[in-house]
């Protein structure tokens, strides 16, 4: 190449400077908002904590056979666990305001691991009540849906319904992951290795929480997702227990609280208390292998993920009260048919029930939380914690009474029918809840 041609190539062509300046000032590609990473860590953490939620139905028969404990006694331990799972939630939400999400969740996971690990050495029923009931109940209660509500309220202004649905589905995802594995371990290697697996799963989530879960968008200099203005991090709120009780004292003077608490109690009775605890032993009563029944519960988890995320999307767009009424009515109808579907083998009608029921499993959470936001504003995570407490009290009662009914009547049929009738009542209660604009917080 000649010197002349090199010089000509070096001459800036018309428009080159404009293009270079345009490229220089072109807006950078949008980055994924940090809120979605926090939601992802929360999702994984709830999955780890959900491991123990998969255990009760798998352990009833092995514990009955090894120690001779009645189903009522084992159901009492499940009942304590479920009750504490709910009663701890509002205090955990207040503790997160005081000490931060990361610290509370890390301690909770450690307590779950301790309680599950200690069950390996138990020899008496009171030890089951202590480890399985008290310790794991307290730990899992701090990892309850109030945790998801706190993360959603702090990190998201838009898409709250969708994010609530996704985080709620994490529990079902944990069930999907752990149920087949744990049922296989119980059948092949006894229940103790399964308990150790649960403990290790909870411990494995601790480093993720400690390193990646930020307490507030202001910690990383960002606005909440969908917010138009920067939100400074609020000062720690002292007196967590006092605040939780103060919020409760205020909420109980309102009608919507009692309706939300009542419907959610029935929700817990017809899901965690009944199906999650007693479906496997009820199926086994009809000759179905434990692994097959556990696999059906896992399939419920698959469709629960779809149903809950879809419910979050619907909640952003439709009347939450009517969504709740539809969900409870459909659940009640499905439970009325369940006793005639149980059989030694999995038939197509049972598969249809599993899919249908799975779509509705915890689809009630996003609209219930949305109604809490509408009525209670900035206090909604704590109020939802108390509403969740009613959910778990309902679950605890049916976990215990279901075991007693099996001991007395020799079958679970009466419990299925009673739960179906309760769901019809919940559908009517949901329609009575009045609507009003949210106070102090955007609904997204």
């Amino acid at each position: 190449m000649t010197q002349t041609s090199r010089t000509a190539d070096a001459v800036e062509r018309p428009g080159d400077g404009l293009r270079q300046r345009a490229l220089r000032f072109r807006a950078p590609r949008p980055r994924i908002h940090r809120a979605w990473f926090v939601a992802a860590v929360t999702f994984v953490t709830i999955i780890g904590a959900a491991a123990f939620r998969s255990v009760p139905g798998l352990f009833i028969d092995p514990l009955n056979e090894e120690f001779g404990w009645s189903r009522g006694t084992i159901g009492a331990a499940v009942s304590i666990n479920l009750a504490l799972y709910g009663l701890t939630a509002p205090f955990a939400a207040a503790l997160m305001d005081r000490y931060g999400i990361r610290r509370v969740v890390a301690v909770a996971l450690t307590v779950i691991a301790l309680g599950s690990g200690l069950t390996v050495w138990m020899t008496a029923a009171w030890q089951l009540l202590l480890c399985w009931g008290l310790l794991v109940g307290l730990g899992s209660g701090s990892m309850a849906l109030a945790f998801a509500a706190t993360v959603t309220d702090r990190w998201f202004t838009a898409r709250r319904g969708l994010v609530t649905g996704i985080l709620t589905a994490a529990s079902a995802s944990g069930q999907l992951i752990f149920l087949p594995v744990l049922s296989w371990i119980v059948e092949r290697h006894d229940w103790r290795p399964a308990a150790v697996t649960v403990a290790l799963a909870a411990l494995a989530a601790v480093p993720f929480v400690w390193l990646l879960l930020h307490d507030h968008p202001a910690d990383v200099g960002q606005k909440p997702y969908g917010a138009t203005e920067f939100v400074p991090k609020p000062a720690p709120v002292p007196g967590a227990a006092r605040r939780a009780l103060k919020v409760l004292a205020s909420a109980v003077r309102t009608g919507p609280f009692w309706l939300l608490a009542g419907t959610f109690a029935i929700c817990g009775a017809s899901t965690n208390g009944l199906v999650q605890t007693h479906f496997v032993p009820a199926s086994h009563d009809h000759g179905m292998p434990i692994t097959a029944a556990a696999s059906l519960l896992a399939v419920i988890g698959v469709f629960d993920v779809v149903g809950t995320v879809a419910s979050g999307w619907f909640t952003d767009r439709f009347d939450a009260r009517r969504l709740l009424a539809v969900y409870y009515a459909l659940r009640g109808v499905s439970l009325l048919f369940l006793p005639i579907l149980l059989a030694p083998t999995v038939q197509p009608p049972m598969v249809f029930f599993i899919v249908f029921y799975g779509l509705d499993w915890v689809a009630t959470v996003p609209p219930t939380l949305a109604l809490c936001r509408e009525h209670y504003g900035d206090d909604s995570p704590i109020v939802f914690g108390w509403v969740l407490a009613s959910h778990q009290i309902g679950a605890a009662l049916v976990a215990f009474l279901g075991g007693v009914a099996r001991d007395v009547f020799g079958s679970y049929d009466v419990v299925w029918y009673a739960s179906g009738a309760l769901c019809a009542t919940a559908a009517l209660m949901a329609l009575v809840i009045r609507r009003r604009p949210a106070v102090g917080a955007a609904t997204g």
Side-chain angles (χ1 to χ4, degrees):
M1 182 180 292
T2 65
Q3 179 68 30
T4 304
S5 63
R6 285 197 298 268
T7 305
D9 286 342
V11 175
E12 184 179 277
R13 296 183 179 89
D16 283 352
L18 292 175
R19 280 196 297 271
Q20 290 172 2
R21 284 193 291 272
L23 289 172
R24 190 179 304 122
F25 293 106
R26 182 180 294 171
R29 297 178 61 184
R31 299 173 61 185
I32 299 175
H33 195 284
R34 183 67 66 89
W36 294 108
F37 291 102
V38 172
V41 174
T42 304
F43 187 91
V44 172
T45 303
I46 294 175
I47 285 177
F52 201 88
R53 314 303 313 162
S54 306
V55 167
L58 302 178
F59 280 15
I60 289 178
D61 285 337
L63 293 176
N64 173 260
E65 293 171 4
E66 179 172 341
F67 297 105
W69 299 335
S70 70
R71 287 175 172 81
T73 298
I74 301 169
V78 179
S79 180
I80 293 172
N81 176 283
L82 292 172
L84 287 175
Y85 179 86
L87 293 172
T88 305
F91 296 98
L95 284 171
M96 289 176 189
D97 286 341
R98 176 66 178 89
Y99 297 106
I101 300 173
R102 180 170 59 180
R103 292 180 181 178
V104 173
V105 173
V107 171
L109 286 167
T110 304
V111 172
I112 290 174
L114 179 64
S116 181
L118 288 176
T119 59
V120 173
W121 291 284
M122 66 184 179
T123 56
W126 68 266
Q127 295 166 346
L128 176 68
L129 300 178
L130 174 65
C131 298
W132 196 350
L134 180 62
L135 290 179
V136 176
L138 289 173
S140 59
S142 300
M143 293 289 303
L145 293 174
F147 167 42
T150 301
V151 170
T152 304
D153 283 358
R154 289 188 183 184
W155 281 90
F156 291 86
T157 298
R159 302 284 186 258
R160 281 179 170 174
L162 177 62
V163 175
T164 300
I166 292 172
L167 295 183
T168 302
S171 181
S173 299
Q175 176 174 295
L176 166 64
I177 293 169
F178 287 104
L179 257 177
V181 175
L182 294 176
S183 65
W184 181 84
I185 293 174
V186 169
E187 189 168 61
R188 297 292 182 89
H189 303 287
D190 197 20
W191 61 270
R192 288 179 176 83
V196 173
T197 301
V198 171
L200 294 177
L203 282 177
V206 174
F208 289 97
V209 170
W210 195 255
L211 296 175
L212 302 175
L213 187 61
H214 296 282
D215 288 329
H216 196 277
D219 290 341
V220 291
Q222 289 192 334
K223 298 179 292 186
Y225 179 82
T228 57
E229 297 180 356
F230 183 81
V231 178
K233 183 176 181 178
V237 180
R242 183 171 63 252
R243 185 186 176 206
L245 293 173
K246 183 179 178 180
V247 170
L248 174 64
S250 176
V252 296
R253 293 196 289 269
T254 64
F257 174 81
W258 291 106
L259 291 169
L260 289 169
T263 56
F264 224 39
I266 294 172
C267 179
S270 56
T271 53
N272 300 79
L274 182 60
V275 174
Q276 189 171 50
T277 303
H278 295 292
F279 179 80
V280 171
S283 300
H284 192 53
D285 284 346
H286 287 77
M288 184 180 295
I290 290 179
T291 51
S295 296
L296 289 176
L297 272 185
V299 174
I300 286 179
V302 174
F303 288 94
D304 178 33
V305 173
V306 177
T308 307
V309 174
S311 178
W313 187 86
F314 290 143
T315 302
D316 286 332
R317 291 160 176 80
F318 301 107
D319 186 340
R321 300 171 305 160
R322 299 190 181 190
L323 289 175
L324 284 177
V326 171
Y327 296 157
Y328 285 122
L330 293 176
R331 183 185 300 175
V333 171
S334 67
L335 287 172
L336 292 176
F337 281 97
L338 182 57
I340 64 175
L341 301 179
L342 293 170
T345 58
V346 180
Q347 302 295 327
M350 174 59 79
V351 175
F352 179 80
F353 166 83
I354 292 297
V355 173
F356 188 86
Y357 187 85
L359 291 171
D360 199 351
W361 177 272
V362 286
T364 55
V365 174
T368 299
L369 182 51
L371 289 169
C372 284
R373 289 196 189 102
E374 286 189 4
H375 288 278
Y376 305 105
D378 292 338
D379 288 332
S380 61
I382 297 177
V383 173
F384 181 71
W386 286 113
V387 172
L388 179 64
S390 71
H391 180 283
Q392 295 309 117
I393 290 173
L397 286 173
V398 172
F400 173 68
L401 294 176
V404 172
R406 170 62 177 79
D407 290 334
V408 173
F409 299 108
S411 77
Y412 288 100
D413 289 358
V414 65
V415 189
W416 304 123
Y417 295 134
S419 295
L422 284 174
C423 288
T425 303
L428 295 175
M429 292 171 65
L431 293 175
V432 178
I433 301 172
R434 61 185 175 84
R435 298 294 303 271
R436 71 173 211 160
V439 179
T443 58

